[in-house]
Amino acid sequence: MGDVLDDLQKFLDSEWDPDLTVGEWWEKLGTEGWAAPAWPSAWFGRDLSRPDAGRVAEAITKHGALGAPGGLGMLLAGPTIATHGTDEQKQRYLRDIVTGQRAWCQLFSEPGAGSDLAGLGCKAIKDGEEWIINGQKVWTSGGQIADLGMLIARTDPDVPKHQGITWFAFDMKQPGVEIRPLREMTGRALFNEVFLSDARVPDSEIIGGLNNGWAVANTTLMFERAGLGSGGHGAASLAQAGTIAGDLDKRAGDFVRGKGDAGDPGRIFGGAAAALMQLAKSNGKAQDPSTRQALMRLHTLMKLGEYNNLRLKAAKAAGKDIPGLPNIAKLSMSEIVRQQRDLGLAIVGPYGTLHAYGSEERKALDEATGNPFLGMITEMALFAQGPPIYGGTDQVQRNIIGERVLGLPKEANNDRTTAYKDLPKNG
Ligand SMILES: Cc1cc2nc3c(=O)[nH]c(=O)nc-3n(C[C@H](O)[C@H](O)[C@H](O)COP(=O)(O)OP(=O)(O)OC[C@H]3O[C@@H](n4cnc5c(N)ncnc54)[C@H](O)[C@@H]3O)c2cc1C
């Protein structure tokens, strides 16, 4: 790892310039393999392990340079296409992901298909060399700034539901795509409803084969669970990838900040244990036995997650696997955010009932209460309801562990033998 960090240092010394645009800097970082160092070296990576890739990201931040593009392209679309795409598809999409040129969203969930994702109803009908898409997606994070979507749609209703789904790389910037934001209790509009009306996608944008979308979607979900479980969200850069957010032409140096942005929930979760410790000290709660115990519990859970990652890495290096570990990692992340929420609110006490929705209001509230961590704590507490739901709820993770890892009997149903079109539907 020392050699790798030396190479990185040389690269940063010669190439980082805060006056570059975000797009120019990401072009250098991505094509040199520093944006996604855990990816294969043949595809813009450096074959590093996840912890070593984390060290690269840390070193970039420590140098005072802008970090790699974040978002669902890096976290989900890239690894999925690297696994299932053809070489031509990898060349076309992976480069734009590591250089932040195009942003992705995940068009999986529908109003009637969340936990029962394979029951999705969004239709894809073949028309020559294209597919015509009609349906509705929901909870689409970042849909408003996405150039491309990971779309799963029903390409064959005459076979059982898991067998008639296809995964498409879908162009979001076309007529027939309507995006409506949904506001959350944090005050942000992270996710959207997406209405697809006679939208089109070429045959050549099918990833992983026609009607093989369930397997491909499971790869996406596996990366989502593993990424979230290891705090994957925390690595994101403050600049947004893609052509719509408008950050690519801005000055890279303007997005560099020493200590994460309290407004980004991903960053909050990543650095929360240390921040909570500091907060407990400054509030005089560090000697309180129940606070100390809760801090220790949190620290222990986080360490267990780290060790589980290392166990998986060692198993993979030996050509083995630890089935269910991504699901366990995601479950333990849910528990960590719940503990962070409860501990943070306990430390700030009654001030925890005050929440500011905008950065100006946040500043005013920090000044009024004299507590610069308050916004971070309340934001984290409100957002903490999300991680146990997205990427598959806690209950769904337990079902997967029970059925696929422990070999417990599946819930009784005829889903695997009855054609999708003959299954009872919601509503
Ligand atoms: C912050 C956030 C961001 C998201 N971003 C995206 C995104 O970008 N793209 C996307 O496609 N989706 C996204 N989602 C949606 C998310 O994947 C779904 O909300 C999730 O899969 C649950 O589906 P649902 O909301 O339809 O709940 P339901 O499936 O209706 O579940 C309701 C409740 O029933 C329980 N339940 C359901 N089935 C079972 C079962 N068989 N056994 C036991 N319990 C069960 C669930 O655990 C849950 O508690 C996001 C969600 C959140 C909260």
Side-chain angles (χ1 to χ4, degrees):
M1 185 64 195
D3 290 353
V4 176
L5 290 179
D6 287 347
D7 286 351
L8 173 63
Q9 194 55 51
K10 278 186 212 138
F11 168 79
L12 291 169
D13 287 341
S14 73
E15 301 296 337
W16 166 243
D17 173 357
D19 289 328
L20 290 172
T21 65
V22 169
E24 287 166 345
W25 169 239
W26 278 348
E27 181 72 21
K28 290 173 188 281
L29 200 66
T31 51
E32 287 296 321
W34 297 120
W39 290 13
S41 50
W43 297 108
F44 309 104
R46 286 182 171 254
D47 297 314
L48 295 190
S49 67
R50 232 172 225 285
D52 285 349
R55 281 179 200 114
V56 165
E58 268 168 34
I60 296 172
T61 309
K62 214 162 144 202
H63 187 84
L66 177 66
L72 298 186
M74 280 291 232
L75 190 64
L76 308 182
T80 304
I81 293 170
T83 307
H84 294 281
T86 60
D87 281 0
E88 193 274 320
Q89 288 169 332
K90 288 181 199 168
Q91 190 60 42
R92 190 143 37 97
Y93 291 118
L94 299 185
R95 191 182 197 290
D96 281 353
I97 291 174
V98 292
T99 57
Q101 295 299 310
R102 295 209 281 176
W104 287 74
C105 66
Q106 184 187 26
L107 297 168
F108 279 22
S109 304
E110 298 180 6
S115 299
D116 178 25
L117 187 57
L120 61 90
C122 179
K123 271 192 259 174
I125 309 274
K126 190 90 194 282
D127 180 32
E129 297 297 298
E130 290 188 326
W131 294 82
I132 302 176
I133 311 291
N134 279 288
Q136 187 200 335
K137 296 291 174 175
V138 72
W139 317 125
T140 313
S141 305
Q144 74 281 26
I145 53 158
D147 299 281
L148 290 157
M150 298 165 249
L151 170 69
I152 48 174
R154 186 151 309 277
T155 36
D156 187 352
D158 294 322
V159 291
K161 63 183 184 180
H162 298 87
Q163 296 171 25
I165 295 170
T166 299
W167 200 110
F168 295 94
F170 176 79
D171 183 0
M172 295 291 285
K173 298 195 292 189
Q174 59 167 306
V177 177
E178 189 192 343
I179 300 165
R180 296 188 199 158
L182 291 165
R183 196 156 297 280
E184 304 137 42
M185 65 177 157
T186 54
R188 297 177 192 278
L190 173 78
F191 45 43
N192 306 267
E193 294 177 291
V194 177
F195 296 86
L196 305 166
S197 314
D198 290 336
R200 287 183 172 260
V201 57
D203 216 21
S204 56
E205 307 311 322
I206 290 178
I207 307 288
L210 180 63
N211 294 327
N212 191 36
W214 185 244
V216 186
N218 269 292
T219 299
T220 313
L221 292 171
M222 195 267 289
F223 282 111
E224 183 167 11
R225 285 156 195 169
L228 297 174
S230 63
H233 269 194
S237 157
L238 293 180
Q240 303 259 31
T243 60
I244 301 172
D247 288 348
L248 293 177
D249 295 330
K250 295 184 183 157
R251 185 177 171 273
D254 292 344
F255 289 92
V256 176
R257 299 190 199 159
K259 304 176 178 119
D261 170 15
D264 175 346
R267 283 172 184 268
I268 293 168
F269 292 136
L276 287 171
M277 193 90 74
Q278 206 180 325
L279 185 65
K281 281 184 187 157
S282 62
N283 277 28
K285 296 266 175 84
Q287 298 308 319
D288 169 47
S290 62
T291 306
R292 292 171 75 84
Q293 198 162 358
L295 276 166
M296 200 56 215
R297 217 172 17 236
L298 185 58
H299 173 76
T300 308
L301 260 180
M302 294 180 99
K303 277 284 163 207
L304 282 175
E306 202 181 309
Y307 294 145
N308 267 335
N309 261 334
L310 290 173
R311 279 177 65 214
L312 189 60
K313 184 187 153 204
K316 291 238 156 115
K320 294 182 188 154
D321 195 11
I322 308 180
L325 210 57
N327 309 90
I328 292 170
K330 216 232 136 193
L331 273 174
S332 72
M333 189 64 190
S334 298
E335 184 54 27
I336 285 170
V337 298
R338 278 192 289 268
Q339 290 200 10
Q340 287 174 344
R341 171 196 64 196
D342 296 347
L343 181 56
L345 289 177
I347 294 173
V348 296
Y351 283 148
T353 56
L354 303 172
H355 181 64
Y357 288 96
S359 49
E360 284 308 308
E361 290 168 14
R362 192 193 304 264
K363 223 158 69 191
L365 192 58
D366 285 353
E367 276 165 22
T369 58
N371 187 339
F373 287 108
L374 186 59
M376 183 188 89
I377 297 296
T378 54
E379 175 96 22
M380 179 169 71
L382 292 172
F383 191 76
Q385 289 32 266
I389 299 175
Y390 58 64
T393 65
D394 283 4
Q395 290 77 15
V396 165
Q397 304 306 324
R398 291 195 179 95
N399 281 352
I400 294 172
I401 293 169
E403 293 174 6
R404 295 192 208 158
V405 181
L406 302 178
L408 297 175
K410 286 184 188 295
E411 285 178 57
N413 65 47
N414 54 1
D415 284 9
R416 303 226 164 228
T417 48
T418 307
Y420 168 81
K421 66 176 179 0
D422 298 327
L423 288 174
K425 311 283 184 311
N426 284 339

